[in-house]
Amino acid sequence: MVRKSKKGSPKASIDRRAFLKSAAVGAAALAANPTTSRAQQIEARNAPPPPLPAEAEIGTPAKLDVLTETRSGSDFMVDVIKSLGIEYVCSNPGSSFRGLHESVINYGGNKNPEFITCCHEESSAAMAHGYAKIEGKPLAILAHGTVGLQHASMAIYNAWCDRVPIYIIVGNILDATKRIGAVEWSHSVQDAAVMVRDYVKWDDTPASLPHFAESAVRAYKIAMTPPTLPVLLVADAELQENPIPDNLAVHIPKLGQFTPPEGDSAAIAEAARMLVNAQNPVLLADRLGRTPAGMKNLVDLAEALQAPVISRPGRMNFPSRHPLNQTDRANALIREADVILGLEMSDFWGNVNSFRDQMRRTSETLIKPGTKLISINSDDLYTKSNYQDFDRFPEVDLAIAADGETTLPALTEAVKRLLTDDKRRAGEARGAQLAKVHQQTLARDREAAAVAWDASPISTARLCAELWNQIKDRDWSLVSTTPFISNWPQRLWNMDKHYHYIGTQGGYGIGYGAPSAVGAALANRKYGRLSVNIQCDGDLMYAPGVLWTAAHHQIPLLSVMHNNRGYHQEVMQVQIMADRRNRGIDRATIGTTITTPNIEYAKLAQSMGMYGEGPITDPKDLGPALKRALEVVNRGEPAVVDVLTQPR
Amino acid sequence: MQRNQYVGVGLKSAALLFCFLGAHFPAHAQSRPQNASAGNAQKGKDAFATHMCATCHGPEGQGAVGPALAPPPRALPDFTRYVRQPAGKMPPFTPQAVSDTDLADIYAFLQSANPAPPSNLSSLTGNAQNGGRIYVADGCYQCHGRVGQGSQSTAAPRIGPPALTIDAFARYIHAPTGNMPPYTNKVVSDQDVADIYAFLKSLPPAPAAKDIPLLNQ
């Protein structure tokens, strides 16, 4: 139908909604009639549009009614997305971005980006989170600007807290006169991004296609400049669905090269002086390993200084079996240190202080008087107010606002320039002692792993040792977190590649594990890497549909259930309260456990079309079960092995 | 939906690896260790000061920043082992830094500094089977694991078998100095403690890691 101007004159452009709007006029009239009952109104709202008059369908229109188009706004949007090198769009389908959806799969050939069907927008966002940690760049998610973004919001918050780029595009119908019926009104919003504005780095609502192109490229650049963070664009449905006007010049701006922020040279020189002159320097790293360069650069610095490294679980920062890896001795080292360098620390204060969670919450410093703290952190470049993920203020002596891994080479060179022969000899002696301690720690960890070796439920140490035995000779990638399993992989496995570990959730929002693992496995697929996921049971049940996504898109992934049949963290939290109130803990399982009935995760996996086995209760059965599942994964499919485990 | 990932506070605070059951000496331990030290208490007092133990534990081992050590809550071999390889935030002391003889002297000093009052716990006979039941029912396993193996995730140390004397064990349960929630006598009676202690003592020794091929690769 031809869009009418106010005076009723024909307008050259196509109005995609006018056709349906006229069809719905009957229902609208019903709703407007004051004598119509509420029930009738509801019925009318839910009813399908009444049929068009016969002449509208078979008759000859009075004027030519253009019903098709050859090149729409969303085609151009896909061109823009392709120009950014985005490989996938993860999405649960929705009408507010139907134009973009169709352009991706048809105009764009469903390749770069490929549409990945998700069963929940939280899965879409968390998949993007996991993908970016492996690939170092964002994939896109598509969602309704209202109900879809609401679903996705927690996963976006996790990515925000984890400093991970996600490229979010949401559909909306801003022009109220173009909305049809209750669904589109309910799915429209004045300001779609406001809901997540506290935890995206930048957002925009483009009003034209040139505006979309410019903002899309700008958003990518902002997302990828440390601190890397989620960004959001609103793709208005009218812009998506209407043809590109013939007289409109559309242009995709050049992204160009852009470099991450490096620390000030004078500050780097000062940091090097402090580190070289220290008797007991300590290197603390958390979200440092943004790319493969992060680990290499930290190894270079640690070896130049012969300083111990404490690698926090935010990223894969340092090889697990490097002799300078002293993570298990963190507290003792921090107490002895005279200079501590914190690299992309999410909570520097928490690493140099202890906190006691009793009736009276108390804290005390771990460092000795005079200990100097140096920080290199891109968080110092960008902070927001409302959500408190910036943690407690650390009293740092020298704060360098810059990207950690980018700044390290200059720092290492500065350190090397300052090293005298005496300093070098002292460092070598320190390094030799640390190497000895590292071996002792490894031996102690292995003894600790042996303690519940034959226990049932199966210990998390046994689970990790059995898994390591199956994967150690492969090119593997652990695509799940480790703090819930006592960090056994870091303690028992030889981890020395960037993709050997993807870090934690960021915001500790549960439901991240399964979809982020699938997203990371999606990134690993093209490299032929074996992705393994130690999957918490409670986490999986937030949105288990992501298993179907893995099966449907043939994403090879071995998921081994850490099935302790509970929200175990919360069991302990309620236990703490019950003990504090002296009421006994026999009811602490109410509301915190996942039993009666027990969930059959193997059957759940099978129902999604993938291989499932278990529950495995006897540790002797675990190795063979893992081997069988890996045979399936080797064929390019996902598999689940359910293992009944000890709590932690 | 947003959850604390770790008990009490996030484990990103390294400081949490401290003060759970058995990880540290209880602040008000008043039990006599089960062994006697052959050390010299007077020399031990000097060594306690020389090696700066008093800085954290107070000049008489009464506790300050660090927990009380007088009387020592562990038998001498465990005491020595802990000093060499502390599980909490105490720095390790090598034999080069503090000799075994010095430690025996320090131990003797700590025993003499604050003799323990009599306790009826050691007179109770523990029922290991019932202790195993209570261990699960009272949720000890939630942090310490089914066989007391401990967990880095929960910052709970290994307690199977227990390194503490039964008196120190009981006192820590009732009034922990770290993050462990307190279990009062109302919740865990002396007999319950004796039973749990017997259960933990009854656990078979763990296999040696060197005998497990999967732990040597």
Side-chain angles (χ1 to χ4, degrees):
Chain A
M1 183 175 285
V2 176
R3 180 183 292 174
K4 302 281 186 180
S5 70
K6 282 181 181 175
K7 292 182 179 177
S9 61
K11 202 172 174 182
S13 63
I14 302 298
D15 186 336
R16 70 183 183 89
R17 294 172 193 282
F19 173 82
L20 289 173
K21 193 172 183 180
S22 64
V25 70
L30 259 179
N33 185 344
T35 60
T36 308
S37 72
R38 177 66 181 154
Q40 285 173 312
Q41 289 179 31
I42 293 170
E43 188 179 338
R45 282 165 63 95
N46 294 334
L52 289 171
E55 59 273 21
E57 299 201 359
I58 60 174
T60 303
K63 294 177 183 173
L64 182 64
D65 191 6
V66 179
L67 297 174
T68 61
E69 55 179 305
T70 55
R71 189 144 191 267
S72 63
S74 56
D75 291 351
F76 175 68
M77 291 177 180
V78 168
D79 288 337
V80 175
I81 293 168
K82 280 179 177 288
S83 79
L84 298 172
I86 290 175
E87 293 182 300
Y88 301 101
V89 287
C90 289
S91 179
N92 183 248
S95 57
S96 63
F97 54 91
R98 62 185 185 177
L100 199 43
H101 183 158
E102 194 276 338
S103 290
V104 166
I105 59 174
N106 285 329
Y107 174 78
N110 201 29
K111 189 171 184 186
N112 296 325
E114 176 188 351
F115 196 99
I116 302 293
T117 314
C118 295
C119 301
H120 194 298
E121 289 83 353
E122 187 173 297
S123 303
S124 305
M127 277 186 70
H129 190 166
Y131 170 91
K133 282 178 157 182
I134 292 291
E135 197 61 17
K137 68 178 188 180
L139 56 68
I141 70 170
L142 283 175
H144 276 305
T146 52
V147 291
L149 192 55
Q150 287 159 2
H151 270 161
S153 59
M154 189 218 70
I156 296 168
Y157 182 64
N158 267 342
W160 163 266
C161 293
D162 204 18
R163 310 301 184 252
V164 169
I166 294 180
Y167 201 89
I168 307 156
I169 302 174
V170 296
N172 189 36
I173 306 169
L174 194 56
D175 185 341
T177 66
K178 304 295 168 60
R179 302 171 192 155
I180 298 169
V183 173
E184 290 196 344
W185 275 90
S186 302
H187 287 181
S188 298
V189 55
Q190 279 186 343
D191 180 2
V194 69
M195 178 172 36
V196 297
R197 188 163 289 137
D198 276 327
Y199 43 94
V200 298
K201 193 175 183 183
W202 188 76
D203 69 86
D204 198 15
T205 303
S208 67
L209 291 176
H211 184 178
F212 178 89
E214 194 167 307
S215 291
V217 177
R218 187 196 303 273
Y220 189 90
K221 189 174 180 181
I222 289 171
M224 287 294 289
T225 301
T228 55
L229 288 162
V231 291
L232 185 147
L233 283 181
V234 180
D236 188 79
E238 292 291 305
L239 277 186
Q240 294 176 51
E241 298 185 20
N242 286 344
I244 301 172
D246 291 338
N247 59 351
L248 182 67
V250 287
H251 161 71
I252 302 174
K254 180 170 62 182
L255 177 61
Q257 286 189 323
F258 54 101
T259 57
E262 185 175 343
D264 168 71
S265 58
I268 290 170
E270 174 63 8
R273 190 193 62 76
M274 292 165 73
L275 287 164
V276 168
N277 290 330
Q279 297 293 312
N280 294 304
V282 169
L283 310 180
L284 257 171
D286 190 1
R287 290 193 293 248
L288 177 73
R290 188 169 55 77
T291 74
M295 184 189 297
K296 179 194 173 298
N297 294 347
L298 183 55
V299 168
D300 288 347
L301 177 64
E303 290 182 350
L305 286 165
Q306 289 296 306
V309 175
I310 300 166
S311 180
R312 291 304 182 204
R315 294 289 188 280
M316 183 72 218
N317 298 307
F318 203 69
S320 63
R321 291 193 181 170
H322 192 290
L324 293 172
N325 190 327
Q326 305 284 323
T327 302
D328 272 9
R329 297 182 56 238
N331 284 359
L333 288 167
I334 287 168
R335 290 183 76 89
E336 293 168 2
D338 49 359
V339 174
I340 301 173
L341 171 61
L343 295 161
E344 298 290 352
M345 297 302 297
S346 62
D347 183 14
F348 203 172
W349 186 93
N351 277 271
V352 295
N353 289 272
S354 68
F355 205 93
R356 186 167 180 247
D357 181 22
Q358 295 286 5
M359 282 277 284
R360 189 172 68 88
R361 288 188 158 192
T362 54
S363 64
E364 63 171 335
T365 182
L366 291 175
I367 58 175
K368 56 189 183 186
T371 297
K372 302 293 185 190
L373 303 185
I374 307 167
S375 159
I376 304 178
N377 202 327
S378 55
D379 276 1
D380 289 349
L381 298 166
Y382 188 87
T383 310
K384 287 191 178 183
S385 306
N386 192 18
Y387 287 85
Q388 304 286 299
D389 62 295
F390 39 74
D391 287 289
R392 197 156 171 183
F393 184 75
E395 295 184 49
V396 170
D397 294 279
L398 176 58
I400 302 175
D403 179 48
E405 69 170 41
T406 305
T407 303
L408 280 184
L411 178 59
T412 303
E413 287 309 309
V415 162
K416 286 178 177 173
R417 283 195 295 273
L418 291 173
L419 281 174
T420 61
D421 288 345
D422 285 349
K423 296 285 185 192
R424 201 170 278 115
R425 275 193 294 276
E428 285 167 2
R430 182 168 58 226
Q433 179 61 26
L434 289 169
K436 203 181 301 177
V437 174
H438 177 84
Q439 286 305 315
Q440 292 168 352
T441 303
L442 177 60
R444 204 164 57 237
D445 283 337
R446 287 171 168 171
E447 293 298 342
V451 175
W453 190 252
D454 294 318
S456 179
I458 294 169
S459 75
T460 51
R462 177 76 182 257
L463 184 151
C464 292
E466 294 281 359
L467 185 54
W468 175 236
N469 187 46
Q470 297 293 332
I471 67 171
K472 66 181 189 305
D473 299 323
R474 304 278 302 275
D475 183 28
W476 56 273
S477 174
L478 178 64
V479 291
S480 52
T481 63
T482 57
F484 284 144
I485 51 170
S486 290
N487 299 309
W488 283 116
Q490 285 91 337
R491 296 162 75 189
L492 298 178
W493 299 6
N494 184 10
M495 308 171 83
D496 59 4
K497 292 188 169 58
H498 167 258
Y499 53 81
H500 277 173
Y501 175 58
I502 67 167
T504 50
Q505 308 95 325
Y508 305 107
I510 305 300
Y512 155 94
S516 70
V518 174
L522 179 65
N524 279 325
R525 183 172 65 178
K526 70 175 176 229
Y527 303 108
R529 276 180 210 139
L530 169 62
S531 297
V532 294
N533 166 33
I534 300 173
Q535 174 63 51
C536 296
D537 54 337
D539 179 279
L540 177 59
M541 291 310 293
Y542 275 76
V546 78
L547 296 178
W548 176 87
T549 298
H552 178 72
H553 289 281
Q554 295 189 299
I555 301 170
L557 170 66
L558 172 63
S559 292
V560 183
M561 295 301 300
H562 168 30
N563 179 7
N564 57 23
R565 290 181 175 163
Y567 300 104
H568 187 71
Q569 192 60 39
E570 311 316 311
V571 177
M572 294 188 288
Q573 299 285 12
V574 177
Q575 188 175 343
I576 288 169
M577 289 297 101
D579 279 326
R580 187 175 294 177
R581 293 158 186 175
N582 211 11
R583 292 169 180 161
I585 69 125
D586 54 323
R587 294 161 68 82
T589 53
I590 296 174
T592 55
T593 51
I594 313 173
T595 58
T596 323
N598 297 324
I599 296 172
E600 299 280 353
Y601 293 99
K603 291 180 180 172
L604 177 69
Q606 289 161 10
S607 78
M608 306 279 183
M610 69 165 69
Y611 180 86
E613 181 172 347
I616 307 294
T617 56
D618 186 334
K620 289 197 297 297
D621 297 335
L622 181 53
L626 294 174
K627 198 171 181 181
R628 286 189 291 274
L630 276 172
E631 286 169 7
V632 174
V633 177
N634 291 342
R635 297 198 298 264
E637 299 171 26
V640 168
V641 176
D642 184 11
V643 184
L644 198 59
T645 55
Q646 300 246 342
R648 284 286 187 263
Chain B
M1 189 176 296
Q2 313 300 329
R3 300 202 157 101
N4 245 0
Q5 190 165 4
Y6 311 102
V7 173
V9 294
L11 192 59
K12 50 190 176 176
S13 165
L16 263 195
L17 302 173
F18 169 57
C19 287
F20 268 65
L21 178 54
H24 239 279
F25 308 120
H28 308 293
Q30 295 178 346
S31 56
R32 182 176 295 283
Q34 289 159 335
N35 69 327
S37 165
N40 181 313
Q42 185 53 48
K43 284 185 180 175
K45 183 171 186 177
D46 295 341
F48 196 73
T50 304
H51 294 297
M52 302 183 73
C53 314
T55 306
C56 293
H57 298 286
E60 300 295 322
Q62 76 276 21
V65 177
L69 301 179
R74 298 171 184 240
L76 178 59
D78 282 335
F79 178 84
T80 304
R81 197 174 302 124
Y82 192 91
V83 171
R84 303 283 182 238
Q85 290 190 339
K89 58 188 177 184
M90 179 173 137
F93 288 81
T94 64
Q96 290 73 35
V98 186
S99 70
D100 284 355
T101 305
D102 282 351
L103 283 182
D105 291 344
I106 289 170
Y107 194 88
F109 159 65
L110 294 171
Q111 283 181 307
S112 66
N114 184 13
S119 155
N120 70 338
L121 270 166
S122 52
S123 65
L124 295 175
T125 302
N127 179 325
Q129 191 176 358
N130 193 46
R133 185 191 63 75
I134 298 169
Y135 184 82
V136 172
D138 280 356
C140 311
Y141 80 98
Q142 305 280 11
C143 296
H144 293 279
R146 295 269 179 175
V147 293
Q149 72 267 31
S151 164
Q152 197 178 82
S153 296
T154 59
R158 182 181 174 187
I159 56 171
L164 301 179
T165 63
I166 189 168
D167 289 311
F169 184 78
R171 289 194 182 281
Y172 197 92
I173 288 173
H174 295 323
T177 54
N179 277 310
M180 177 173 145
Y183 286 75
T184 66
N185 261 309
K186 183 180 172 188
V187 177
V188 180
S189 68
D190 281 355
Q191 185 60 55
D192 289 343
V193 171
D195 290 352
I196 292 170
Y197 196 80
F199 163 68
L200 294 171
K201 282 278 188 190
S202 74
L203 292 168
K210 65 178 172 54
D211 298 331
I212 301 173
L214 294 191
L215 291 178
N216 292 279
Q217 52 188 1

